[in-house]
Amino acid sequence: NLHVGQRLRMRRNMLGLSQEAVGSGVGVASQQVQKYEKGTNVMNAIRLYEFAQFLKVPVAYFYEGLDLSG
């Protein structure tokens, strides 16, 4: 959850978007975006897809660099 949230924040910042703008783009409150970014809340598959579409990245982007070894 934390890794996916960090990737969400990274992409949002790369595009110069606020949490409010991203939330509006996918139909959630900015507070929810903040919870996703902090890893407090888990994104379901549909929500992850919506973020990927809005941020113009493949879903796999959110998992790049994830270390599952330990």
Side-chain angles (χ1 to χ4, degrees), residues 49-67:
Y49 178 79
E50 291 170 339
F51 276 109
Q53 291 294 297
F54 181 76
L55 297 172
K56 296 179 176 47
V57 293
V59 171
Y61 165 84
F62 296 103
Y63 297 99
E64 289 175 6
L66 182 61
D67 181 13

Side-chain angles (χ1 to χ4, degrees), residues 40-53:
T40 306
N41 286 13
V42 179
M43 272 189 262
N44 64 31
I46 293 170
R47 184 71 68 211
L48 189 60
Y49 178 79
E50 291 170 339
F51 276 109
Q53 291 294 297

Side-chain angles (χ1 to χ4, degrees), residues 6-59:
Q6 289 171 340
R7 297 289 291 174
L8 172 60
R9 181 182 303 118
M10 182 187 313
R11 181 64 177 166
R12 178 177 63 76
N13 287 332
M14 287 172 68
L15 296 174
L17 299 171
S18 66
Q19 289 177 336
E20 293 80 12
V22 172
S24 178
V26 297
V28 299
S30 61
Q31 293 86 355
Q32 186 63 41
V33 175
Q34 183 178 37
K35 289 177 182 180
Y36 288 143
E37 288 184 353
K38 289 182 176 182
T40 306
N41 286 13
V42 179
M43 272 189 262
N44 64 31
I46 293 170
R47 184 71 68 211
L48 189 60
Y49 178 79
E50 291 170 339
F51 276 109
Q53 291 294 297
F54 181 76
L55 297 172
K56 296 179 176 47
V57 293
V59 171

